[in-house]
Amino acid sequence: MVIAALCLPDGLSAETSPLSDIASRLDSTGGFSADITYSVSLPMAEDDIVYTLRVSSAPEPGDPLLGENYIIDWQLPAGEEVSSGFLAYFDGHSYRYRDNRLMEHHYQWDSIPFLTPDGGIQRNGQFLDLLPRSLARQLRSMARDTTFTVTVTPGGVDDGRNACTVSAVQTIRGLESRRFSLQTDAATGRPLRLSVLYNPGMLGEQEVNAVYTYADTVALPPPVSEEEMIARYPDVFENFRVNNYSVENLRGKPLPSFALPTTTRERYCHTKGEPFPSPVILALLDPAVSSTGEVIGVLRSVIDRLPSQTGLILAFNSNNADDIGEQTGRARMGETHLISGRTLARDCGVSAYPVFILCDSSGNVADVILGYSSTLEEDLLQRGALLK
């Protein structure tokens, strides 16, 4: 690696590698949000292919799979029409939409896509190389790769901002295979421009250029739940889910782990695969739904009429124990009332309330009933009688 010049922010010693310093600053950008113009040039095409992106990411130290959440929303004008799509990741959940297909992966259900040798689905995909932490990984990889010659130069100016530029050339078997150029803001460490030329001078030559612009506000914060994703893209989730990660997929599988506070300020914990003392009906409820009070009455009537002892867990998505208590009253024998149940609903794949999950004493989900209907009591009685 050749360092042509140093580009050191104030306070760093000359012993610090300029390339290492730029990578570290990209890694430590914290919350990141940018609009990006991303163009692809092909030698046989008259016009560039130009995407417009809205990109946002935020560090998530508690996530061992990536350590950050992100969303990339893209558009591609095509004549009079506009193609669009998105990529998003948070907490072991990956979503990708394009060409009327929403593909999703969830670590709890299938860990393999997240543990591939190239870093998993969460690190690989179109436009992900534009994120600051991904750029940092690329720079560190170049520093270790003897096929790259890297030059760092300071002092450039981009729209009045002092900039540092990393230039790299990859040579394999005597031929240039890639030219890379990254310009970063010397004051903030944020990326300003990225250019990559693949197979220069060859038939398969292709060049991509990305120009970053920044606003004072975050227009598209990274998601932290599926509920947020559905709120942003309701039509996509309703019409284009391919592998539908929903509560109905739980049948025959262990109920996910959870640990939630009760309305009496205790904590109720269940570990995935752990048995219950008896069969259980778990009701996921929203106290803001007008029928919730009626639903609780139906559930209690069902518990009283079932032929064998069955526990009842009422899990509310609200954090307000007082409001919940007004609807439930005191817990009856064998009942548990939980608050702050949004994480449990998310892990179960619930997107609308109410939902009723019927579990055998083994801890496995035997059946699922969605919604409140005139036949709910009869449905619960018939299916609850089959619980073991």
Side-chain angles (χ1 to χ4, degrees):
M1 182 178 68
V2 177
I3 303 296
L6 297 182
C7 180
L8 296 178
D10 293 340
L12 291 180
S13 72
E15 296 178 358
T16 304
S17 161
L19 189 64
S20 174
D21 171 58
I22 292 173
S24 296
R25 301 191 76 201
L26 287 167
D27 254 341
S28 58
T29 52
F32 176 80
S33 178
D35 293 331
I36 303 175
T37 300
Y38 182 89
S39 60
V40 181
S41 302
L42 301 171
M44 303 300 291
E46 294 183 2
D47 300 318
D48 291 351
I49 303 169
V50 181
Y51 294 84
T52 57
L53 314 177
R54 288 191 301 165
V55 177
S56 184
S57 65
E60 187 57 53
D63 175 23
L65 296 174
L66 184 62
E68 70 175 323
N69 301 335
Y70 62 73
I71 187 166
I72 300 174
D73 186 287
W74 59 266
Q75 291 189 336
L76 174 64
E80 297 181 356
E81 298 183 357
V82 177
S83 299
S84 61
F86 59 82
L87 302 85
Y89 171 83
F90 61 88
D91 191 27
H93 304 279
S94 171
Y95 301 86
R96 299 184 179 196
Y97 171 71
R98 69 177 303 138
D99 298 331
N100 296 331
R101 288 171 61 87
L102 173 62
M103 301 299 297
E104 51 189 301
H105 296 85
H106 305 274
Y107 183 83
Q108 183 179 5
W109 294 84
D110 183 7
S111 63
I112 292 176
F114 297 89
L115 303 175
T116 59
D118 60 356
I121 192 172
Q122 67 275 24
R123 282 190 172 89
N124 296 280
Q126 189 179 24
F127 308 125
L128 289 181
D129 286 349
L130 303 175
L131 296 175
R133 291 170 186 80
S134 177
L135 290 169
R137 287 193 293 270
Q138 293 174 63
L139 296 184
R140 294 189 178 104
S141 177
M142 290 176 187
R144 296 190 299 266
D145 191 337
T146 58
T147 65
F148 279 96
T149 300
V150 182
T151 303
V152 180
T153 54
V157 177
D158 182 89
D159 291 337
R161 295 168 294 193
N162 291 328
C164 302
T165 301
V166 177
S167 301
V169 176
Q170 185 178 32
T171 304
I172 298 177
R173 298 192 183 104
L175 296 175
E176 285 189 12
S177 65
R178 194 186 336 175
R179 296 175 188 168
F180 174 97
S181 176
L182 172 65
Q183 194 174 66
T184 63
D185 190 319
T188 65
R190 298 185 302 190
L192 300 175
R193 297 175 184 270
L194 173 68
S195 176
V196 184
L197 179 62
Y198 300 92
N199 304 313
M202 300 180 188
L203 185 62
E205 179 180 289
Q206 175 179 312
E207 184 175 12
V208 298
N209 290 279
V211 179
Y212 296 73
T213 57
Y214 298 96
D216 294 333
T217 58
V218 178
L220 189 72
V224 296
S225 71
E226 184 172 279
E227 289 178 339
E228 286 188 20
M229 292 295 299
I230 293 173
R232 290 179 188 177
Y233 306 102
D235 293 341
V236 170
F237 276 83
E238 181 177 354
N239 298 313
F240 301 114
R241 272 187 138 161
V242 176
N243 49 326
N244 189 6
Y245 173 67
S246 72
V247 66
E248 294 173 277
N249 300 130
L250 277 177
R251 290 187 178 94
K253 299 177 181 177
L255 186 69
S257 300
F258 60 92
L260 296 174
T262 69
T263 53
T264 55
R265 296 180 174 82
E266 298 167 313
R267 197 160 189 84
Y268 183 94
C269 300
H270 171 75
T271 302
K272 184 178 180 180
E274 177 186 9
F276 290 108
S278 65
V280 165
I281 296 177
L282 166 63
L284 297 165
L285 304 171
D286 182 350
V289 175
S290 60
S291 62
T292 296
E294 298 173 33
V295 166
I296 294 171
V298 169
L299 288 165
R300 287 171 169 167
S301 174
V302 167
I303 294 297
D304 291 341
R305 295 170 60 190
L306 283 173
S308 59
Q309 181 181 352
T310 302
L312 177 61
I313 300 175
L314 306 179
F316 294 86
N317 64 2
S318 170
N319 300 329
N320 193 320
D322 292 335
D323 287 349
I324 293 170
E326 290 179 5
Q327 292 184 319
T328 62
R330 293 185 61 183
R332 305 194 316 170
M333 183 71 69
E335 278 186 10
T336 303
H337 300 170
L338 306 179
I339 64 174
S340 305
R342 290 184 183 275
T343 55
L344 173 58
R346 181 200 67 197
D347 291 343
C348 290
V350 170
S351 58
Y353 300 89
V355 169
F356 311 94
I357 302 175
L358 287 71
C359 297
D360 288 326
S361 57
S362 65
N364 289 336
V365 175
D367 213 337
V368 174
I369 299 176
L370 307 180
Y372 178 43
S373 69
S374 59
T375 63
L376 176 62
E377 185 165 359
E378 192 62 30
D379 291 340
L380 285 169
L381 281 169
Q382 290 180 1
R383 302 186 199 187
L386 301 176
L387 294 175
K388 301 175 182 178

